[in-house]
Amino acid sequence: MDSEKGPSVTGTEEAEDRAFKAIRGPWAGTPHHLDAPFWPTPEPLVERMLDLAGVGPGDHLIDLGCGDGRIVIAAARRGASALGVDIDAERIAEAETAARAAGVEQLVRFRREDLFATRLEEASVVTLYLLPMVHGLLGARLRTELAPGSRVLGHAFAIRDWAPHKHEVIDQREVFLWVVD
């Protein structure tokens, strides 16, 4: 029966989980309790974000809150491997269908998962379009779990206490690029 409980967690991980639940609410990370609503990033903005980070072959992109998968698919079209995670099963189904239609399913994966449970170590690029509070909660994790030189792209919202490497306003929408030291 222990195998059904999932991987074991340390005391530190349990404390972090309690802290996140205190901020995010007791149902955080469960279906129908989203940390951010689904607002798709316009395609031209997706392309500009990927241009800013120089995404291409050899990159592994993780899109936290991937929605319909458009950023993951755009990264794969540039030759990168990519993972999209979203808590909403309907969005994951949409993303998988879109990846098949785009012919990039061999380069992408999608998982229904709480973005706070997603391991980030293998990413060279992480993309975010969540809410300011969520960006703030992820900031320290991104800086400690990602390798130096990894890039983080954000749409609309900054990450508190982390100066962006680049910041642009495109059609009244903000785009941020951070590079891990």
Side-chain angles (χ1 to χ4, degrees):
M1 294 300 269
D2 286 336
S3 64
E4 291 179 19
K5 293 180 183 176
S8 63
V9 294
T10 66
T12 302
E13 288 170 328
E14 287 177 4
E16 280 181 0
D17 187 51
R18 282 193 302 277
F20 280 147
K21 294 246 189 246
I23 294 167
R24 295 168 64 210
W27 296 282
T30 62
H32 311 296
H33 294 90
L34 307 177
D35 285 297
F38 173 54
W39 292 322
T41 301
E43 294 288 347
L45 199 59
V46 169
E47 295 302 327
R48 182 63 192 136
M49 289 170 67
L50 298 178
D51 287 345
L52 269 177
V55 174
D59 278 317
H60 179 63
L61 179 139
I62 297 177
D63 186 12
L64 298 175
C66 69
D68 62 7
R70 64 183 60 202
I71 293 174
V72 170
I73 292 165
R77 285 185 175 133
R78 293 168 175 241
S81 64
L83 167 67
V85 298
D86 205 294
I87 198 71
D88 188 335
E90 189 175 325
R91 295 285 85 78
I92 293 297
E94 258 183 270
E96 289 171 338
T97 299
R100 280 190 299 279
V104 296
E105 65 272 18
Q106 73 282 1
L107 290 172
V108 303
R109 291 180 302 130
F110 294 97
R111 281 197 311 244
R112 188 181 149 277
E113 178 174 87
D114 178 1
L115 61 90
F116 286 98
T118 302
R119 296 190 59 126
L120 304 173
E121 296 87 3
E122 296 195 11
S124 57
V125 180
V126 173
T127 54
L128 315 167
Y129 180 24
L130 302 162
L131 291 174
M133 179 190 78
V134 181
H135 282 212
L137 290 171
L138 287 168
R141 230 183 113 205
L142 292 162
R143 284 180 273 186
T144 58
E145 290 182 25
L146 294 172
S150 297
R151 288 96 67 208
V152 177
L153 291 162
H155 171 197
F157 307 111
I159 298 174
R160 185 179 57 244
D161 300 326
W162 192 5
H165 182 73
K166 292 183 182 175
H167 173 231
E168 293 185 4
V169 178
I170 303 160
D171 294 329
Q172 299 178 347
R173 294 174 178 263
E174 291 187 89
V175 175
F176 300 88
L177 169 69
W178 298 271
V179 178
V180 178
D181 296 330

